[in-house]
């Protein structure tokens, strides 16, 4: 799973976020007031303009403070009735068609069918819900103003803030109802689509003999279903677990049916999960075994993963904290995903071999290696037992205890190496973790739908705000433009950080002028430029250009940061700290948009 930055605790996040919100609100208020004053100064002079701005601000605040809940709910019901008259429920029929025909296009024999089905259904739900509420919100108020139906409302004792909030609340309730129906239907579709089993016949199993000739177990294969089959290694009593194929496995047990032994294969495990990972801190060793700040670059433009060279002393080392015998009584449930960069193809089906050692961070004592083959596209499991073997300097082997000998003050190290020369392992900090527990998949799916709900609220609030002073089509374009700009918010922030710190690994390529220079000269973005005076001037100008862009980008909402479907699709539990932060961010933007919409509608002569 891609996790470029650690998720901060909500208590640590809320303070700086609140300061930034107040700063942004004050800045926008000052800029808006200055713009209105400038326009009014041209029309009626600076003193009169100042008086109008002052009185307008006070009356607007009084309008917001005097809103009535009953009037807001009455206007919300009108918005709901308007949505039903526009046949908004047709979208449920469209969603049903998508589900019915999705099986034609989604391949159940893919590498990870659970991720495929979840990603598809959550993306379709997000798109339909947000699109419907956006269209409703941007065209409703302009249509009433154009038809002069708004006069029946403004002539009554109704405040402009109540009109804006009532419309938002009504459309948001419609979107919430649609999301609830689509969410339940989508959950049933995913569970039904990935659910399957296999058949194990007794004739397909071969006994495994011990040294004394007795049967110590069985091995064989399951039937071919959903485009795959599993290998079996069963104990003597017929119980065991299949190998992992397409991101899942099955439990198998022997049952007695009328004196004959049959085998029962359980449902797939590993497709619909909610892992709770304990992540560590990553550092590297170079090919000589010396500490390094980063791994090797293989020329990939995306620098999320760093690579270690195979057949050398190069290693990736994760340090885990908080390791106790109480939390992990059976050992360390290590899970990982390792990418591979090949300098030659070789036998592509064979895979690239590697090793993992467990090491004491204080004494340097380490276990003998666990050998594995990188799976590259799926999460691999490697349970580390309590008792391990360790080879001493004289070549002797002894058994050591995980917690007594390798865990020091709750800390332990996991050392990864690639064993094949001229091949490379690519890893990031989030690629290795300890499975600290499991959450409920149903609850995790509901939390992902909550992220879609946040996006829907933002789209609705933006649509209502723009509809107070723009025509419907223009309001739709303005909302989509704001959403698109917000999608680049994190990129602009990282680009500005890269420009200020001079660390080109954050975002390679530089700012606008440097990017243009590289395009003209056909210079790769991964190659550093010579520090000539012209290049230094170019970088300085880029920094000056990116500063206001960084400030402006921070004012736009990022729907991608609110989305949590990646957690569910990859099988990770969505942290409540992330949900709380997303909820507070959504609340802040919604309040800002509704207040702005109220002032804009108040300044518009809708009743004339």
């Amino acid at each position: 799973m891609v996790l470029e930055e650690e998720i901060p605790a909500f208590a640590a996040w809320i303070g700086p976020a609140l300061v930034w919100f107040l700063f942004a609100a004050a800045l926008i208020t000052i800029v808006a007031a200055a713009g209105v004053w400038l326009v009014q100064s041209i029309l009626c002079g600076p003193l009169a303009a100042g008086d109008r701005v002052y009185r307008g601000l006070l009356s607007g605040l009084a309008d917001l403070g005097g809103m009535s809940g009953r009037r807001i709910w009455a206007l919300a019901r009108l918005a709901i009735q308007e949505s039903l008259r526009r046949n908004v429920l047709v979208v449920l029929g469209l969603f049903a068609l998508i589900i019915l025909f999705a099986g034609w296009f989604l391949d159940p024999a893919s590498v990870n069918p659970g991720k495929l089905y979840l990603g598809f259904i959550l993306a379709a739900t997000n798109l339909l819900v947000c699109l419907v509420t956006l269209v409703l919100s941007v065209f409703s108020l302009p249509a009433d103003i154009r038809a002069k139906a708004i006069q029946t409302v403004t002539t009554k004792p109704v405040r402009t803030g109540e009109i804006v909030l009532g419309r938002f609340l009504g459309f948001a309730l419609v979107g919430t109802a649609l999301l609830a129906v689509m969410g339940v239907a989508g959950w049933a579709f995913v569970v039904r689509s990935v659910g399957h089993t296999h058949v194990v016949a007794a004739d397909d199993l071969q006994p495994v003999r011990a040294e004394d000739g007795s049967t110590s177990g069985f091995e064989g294969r399951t039937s071919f279903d959903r485009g795959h089959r599993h290998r079996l290694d069963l104990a003597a009593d017929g119980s065991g677990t299949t190998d992992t194929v397409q991101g899942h496995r099955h439990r198998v047990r022997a049952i007695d049916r009328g004196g004959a032994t049959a085998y029962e294969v359980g449902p797939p495990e590993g497709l619909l999960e909610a892992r709770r990972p304990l992540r560590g801190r990553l550092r590297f060793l170079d090919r000589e075994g010396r500490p390094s700040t980063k791994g090797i670059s293989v020329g990939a433009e995306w620098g999320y993963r760093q690579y270690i060279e195979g057949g050398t002393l190069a290693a990736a080392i994760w340090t885990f904290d908080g390791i106790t015998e109480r939390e992990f009584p059976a050992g360390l449930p290590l899970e990982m995903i390792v990418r591979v960069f090949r300098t030659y193809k070789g036998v592509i089906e064979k895979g690239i071999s590697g090793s993992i050692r467990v090491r004491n961070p204080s004494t340097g004592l380490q276990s003998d290696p666990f050998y594995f083959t990188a799976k590259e596209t799926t999460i691999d499991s490697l349970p580390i037992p309590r008792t391990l073997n360790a080879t001493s300097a004289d070549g002797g082997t002894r058994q050591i205890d995980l917690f007594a000998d390798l865990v020091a003050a709750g800390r332990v190290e996991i050392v990864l190496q690639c064993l094949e020369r001229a091949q490379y392992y690519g890893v990031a900090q989030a690629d290795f973790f300890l499975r600290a527990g499991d959450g409920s998949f149903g609850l995790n799916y509901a939390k992902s739908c909550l992220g879609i709900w946040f996006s829907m609220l933002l789209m609705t609030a933006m649509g209502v705000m723009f509809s107070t002073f723009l025509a419907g089509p223009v309001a739709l374009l303005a909302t989509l433009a704001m959403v698109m700009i917000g999608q680049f918010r994190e990129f602009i922030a990282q680009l500005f950080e890269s420009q200020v710190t001079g660390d080109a690994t954050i975002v390679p390529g530089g700012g606008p002028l440097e990017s243009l220079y590289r395009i003209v000269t056909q210079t790769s973005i991964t190659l550093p430029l010579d520090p000539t005076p012209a290049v230094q001037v170019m970088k300085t100008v880029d920094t000056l250009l990116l500063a206001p862009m960084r400030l402006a980008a921070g004012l736009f909402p990022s729907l991608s940061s609110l989305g949590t479907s990646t957690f569910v699709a990859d099988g990770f539990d969505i942290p409540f700290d992330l949900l709380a932060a997303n909820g507070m961010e959504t609340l802040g933007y919604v309040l800002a948009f509704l207040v702005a919409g109220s002032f804009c509608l108040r300044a518009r002569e809708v009743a004339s």
Side-chain angles (χ1 to χ4, degrees):
M1 176 182 173
V2 176
L3 191 64
E4 297 196 51
E5 295 181 1
E6 287 295 320
I7 299 173
F10 179 74
W13 175 87
I14 186 63
L18 184 59
V19 172
W20 168 251
F21 175 77
L22 295 176
F23 168 75
L27 178 63
I28 294 176
T29 302
I30 293 173
V31 171
V36 173
W37 175 84
L38 183 61
V39 173
Q40 292 295 321
S41 297
I42 298 174
L43 298 176
C44 56
L47 293 180
D51 182 67
R52 287 191 177 187
V53 171
Y54 174 72
R55 292 179 181 275
L57 183 62
L58 289 183
S59 62
L61 294 176
D63 181 84
L64 293 175
M67 291 191 299
S68 167
R70 293 182 60 185
R71 293 194 293 266
I72 292 173
W73 174 241
L75 291 170
R77 285 190 302 168
L78 289 176
I80 295 174
Q81 293 172 2
E82 177 186 346
S83 302
L84 296 177
R85 286 196 302 269
R86 294 186 177 185
N87 298 321
V88 71
L89 297 181
V90 172
V91 72
L92 295 179
L94 177 60
F95 185 73
L97 287 176
I98 292 176
I99 289 180
L100 288 175
F101 292 100
W104 290 7
F105 306 100
L106 299 179
D107 184 11
S110 62
V111 175
N112 192 335
K115 182 176 182 178
L116 176 65
Y117 282 97
L118 281 169
F120 170 79
I121 207 68
L122 290 174
T125 303
N126 192 7
L127 177 63
L128 290 178
V129 171
C130 291
L131 187 60
V132 167
T133 55
L134 174 60
V135 171
L136 288 175
S137 60
V138 297
F139 286 103
S140 174
L141 191 57
D144 286 352
I145 295 175
R146 184 175 59 255
K148 296 186 178 181
I150 194 68
Q151 293 180 1
T152 61
V153 177
T154 55
T155 55
K156 301 181 184 302
V158 175
R159 302 176 184 270
T160 55
E162 294 168 347
I163 297 175
V164 172
L165 185 57
R167 300 245 171 194
F168 166 77
L169 182 60
F171 298 140
L173 288 175
V174 171
T176 302
L178 295 177
L179 176 60
V181 175
M182 292 183 189
V184 173
W187 176 82
F189 169 75
V190 171
V191 172
R192 179 181 178 277
S193 298
V194 303
H196 68 280
T197 185
H198 297 268
V199 176
V200 176
D203 296 338
D204 295 334
L205 298 178
Q206 299 295 327
V208 178
R209 303 295 181 181
E211 293 182 358
D212 59 359
S214 61
T215 301
S216 61
F218 301 91
E219 62 180 9
R221 296 193 302 175
T222 66
S223 61
F224 187 83
D225 293 286
R226 292 297 180 95
H228 69 280
R229 56 165 37 102
H230 298 265
R231 293 195 61 84
L232 295 171
D233 286 305
L234 305 180
D237 60 356
S239 63
T241 305
T242 67
D243 64 345
T244 300
V245 178
Q246 294 184 356
H248 72 279
R249 59 196 176 276
H250 299 265
R251 294 189 182 275
V252 182
R253 67 185 184 94
I255 56 176
D256 183 28
R257 289 182 179 175
T261 301
Y263 294 90
E264 183 181 75
V265 182
E269 300 179 2
L271 288 178
L272 305 179
E273 295 186 312
R275 303 176 182 87
R276 290 174 179 165
L278 175 63
R279 305 190 189 276
R281 300 185 306 277
L282 173 62
R283 70 181 194 275
F284 293 92
L285 300 180
D286 62 16
R287 66 192 320 270
E288 305 297 335
R290 297 169 299 193
S292 176
T293 57
K294 58 184 180 180
I296 295 175
S297 173
V298 295
E301 295 181 2
W302 189 34
Y304 175 65
R305 287 185 172 88
Q306 300 291 319
Y307 289 79
I308 56 175
E309 184 177 356
T312 67
L313 297 179
I317 304 173
W318 284 264
T319 303
F320 294 93
D321 294 317
I323 307 300
T324 62
E325 187 175 358
R326 178 181 178 182
E327 294 292 332
F328 303 100
L332 300 181
L334 179 66
E335 298 196 354
M336 58 190 175
I337 181 168
V338 179
R339 301 292 186 182
V340 172
F341 178 80
R342 291 175 169 85
T343 58
Y344 63 92
K345 182 181 296 186
V347 182
I348 195 68
E349 295 85 0
K350 180 183 177 182
I352 305 302
S353 301
S355 68
I356 287 177
R357 289 181 172 88
V358 186
R359 190 168 70 183
N360 188 313
S362 299
T363 64
L365 175 65
Q366 63 182 5
S367 69
D368 287 348
F370 296 89
Y371 298 104
F372 72 101
T373 300
K375 293 187 176 180
E376 301 188 46
T377 56
T378 59
I379 296 177
D380 196 6
S381 299
L382 181 63
I384 298 176
R386 286 284 305 266
T387 303
L388 304 96
N389 293 326
T391 302
S392 58
D394 58 2
T397 301
R398 63 187 179 96
Q399 290 189 334
I400 57 176
D401 182 76
L402 173 65
F403 293 98
D405 299 310
L406 297 179
V407 177
R411 298 169 61 241
V412 69
E413 292 181 344
I414 302 295
V415 183
L416 168 70
Q417 287 185 300
C418 179
L419 299 181
E420 300 190 23
R421 289 192 174 275
Q423 308 287 28
Y424 295 82
Y425 273 173
V427 291
Q429 184 163 285
D431 286 341
F432 272 55
F433 59 91
L434 301 179
R435 192 162 182 165
D438 292 279
S440 166
F441 168 75
L443 178 60
N444 205 39
Y445 181 86
K447 288 190 286 186
S448 181
C449 291
L450 186 61
I452 298 176
W453 188 67
F454 292 153
S455 299
M456 183 268 296
L457 293 180
L458 274 179
M459 296 286 282
T460 306
M462 283 189 287
V464 170
M465 179 194 69
F466 283 120
S467 70
T468 58
F469 61 95
L470 295 174
V474 182
L476 178 62
L477 292 177
T479 304
L480 294 178
M482 179 171 281
V483 170
M484 291 185 64
I485 295 174
Q487 295 299 99
F488 296 97
R489 186 179 70 181
E490 283 76 16
F491 172 77
I492 295 176
Q494 292 176 355
L495 180 59
F496 181 73
E497 180 185 357
S498 175
Q499 194 71 21
V500 172
T501 60
D503 186 1
T505 61
I506 300 176
V507 177
L513 293 182
E514 183 179 342
S515 298
L516 179 61
Y517 172 80
R518 290 179 180 273
I519 292 174
V520 173
T521 60
Q522 297 184 354
T523 305
S524 172
I525 64 174
T526 59
L527 295 177
L529 299 178
D530 295 331
T532 61
V535 170
Q536 296 299 327
V537 171
M538 182 172 59
K539 289 181 175 293
T540 302
V541 175
D542 275 343
T543 303
L544 297 177
L545 292 175
L546 286 172
M549 291 176 59
R550 169 67 180 90
L551 179 62
L555 303 178
F556 292 88
S558 174
L559 297 186
S560 60
S561 66
L562 299 179
T564 52
S565 60
T566 304
F567 284 84
V568 182
D570 288 336
F572 290 92
D573 187 57
I574 302 173
F576 281 101
D577 285 330
L578 179 61
L579 282 180
N582 289 347
M584 290 301 297
E585 182 179 352
T586 302
L587 177 62
Y589 275 114
V590 168
L591 288 177
F593 290 144
L594 295 181
V595 170
S598 176
F599 274 91
C600 292
L601 185 61
R602 184 176 180 82
R604 184 172 183 173
E605 297 295 336
V606 295
S608 60

